[in-house]
Amino acid sequence: MTTMTALHDTHARDVRRFLRALTRDPDLAEDLLQETMLRAWRHLDTVPDDDSAARRWLFTVARRLVIDAARLRRTRPAEVSPVALEWIPSREDEIGAALAAQAVRTSLSRLSESHRSILVAMHMRGESTSHIAARLGLPVGTVKSRAYYAMRALRASLEDVAA
């Protein structure tokens, strides 16, 4: 029996139970258990030989992974649901297409200049976030953040215009 197999067989059930208690999500707990064991495998030379010390090492890694996962959820913006697209006309509906184009123009005009310029660059000119960031002298993260909030504002405005 290899060291990793023995480590997994001895401690996986308890680490899984610990992770389920911390996350209250069985799927997330399973993912974090796999990541814990993967880290143990990658750093097998640093895992203590003593069984109780190895257990503490695994629980520490698991706890840190839970903390990292919680931080990631807090820093990542919530996903925005897509706009109801029923009002967008078919290709044959010329009047509907004209009204939809006007709704988009109106909604774009309601955005701030910084939001509008990023959306136009990304979606109409096809520029990458890194290219936009370099052109505007902004960090890539700022461009991504502005694009996210601009799309959110555009969706809200389109829903108002379409209503």
Side-chain angles (χ1 to χ4, degrees):
M1 184 181 295
T2 67
T3 305
M4 190 61 219
T5 303
L7 192 65
H8 183 275
D9 290 348
T10 305
H11 301 290
R13 191 177 82 234
D14 293 333
V15 173
R16 182 182 296 111
R17 188 177 311 125
F18 174 70
L19 288 167
R20 281 185 180 169
L22 290 178
T23 64
R24 301 181 198 275
D25 180 349
D27 295 329
L28 179 59
E30 191 63 38
D31 290 344
L32 293 175
L33 172 66
Q34 289 178 14
E35 182 63 28
T36 301
M37 292 300 166
L38 179 63
R39 290 191 184 186
W41 178 68
R42 285 184 179 155
H43 304 285
L44 203 52
D45 56 328
T46 62
V47 178
D49 292 332
D50 176 50
D51 204 37
S52 64
R55 178 183 171 86
R56 284 192 303 275
W57 190 93
L58 289 169
F59 274 77
T60 299
V61 169
R63 183 178 57 80
R64 288 179 181 164
L65 288 171
V66 170
I67 291 168
D68 290 347
R71 285 181 182 153
L72 184 62
R73 275 194 307 268
R74 275 198 319 254
T75 59
R76 182 176 178 202
E79 293 181 9
V80 178
S81 62
V83 173
L85 300 176
E86 304 86 44
W87 66 274
I88 295 178
S90 67
R91 290 181 187 247
E92 297 82 32
D93 185 4
E94 292 178 17
I95 293 173
L99 290 172
Q102 182 58 38
V104 170
R105 280 194 294 274
T106 301
S107 296
L108 275 172
S109 70
R110 292 180 179 177
L111 297 178
S112 69
E113 178 56 34
S114 62
H115 285 167
R116 184 174 40 255
S117 66
I118 288 192
L119 286 184
V120 167
M122 287 178 83
H123 298 290
M124 293 182 178
R125 291 189 205 125
E127 294 179 31
S128 68
T129 53
S130 57
H131 182 262
I132 296 168
R135 185 172 49 81
L136 298 177
L138 297 170
V140 173
T142 301
V143 172
K144 289 179 180 180
S145 175
R146 284 187 187 171
Y148 168 80
Y149 288 109
M151 283 301 291
R152 198 165 124 186
L154 183 63
R155 283 184 182 113
S157 181
L158 280 170
E159 287 174 353
D160 290 344
V161 170

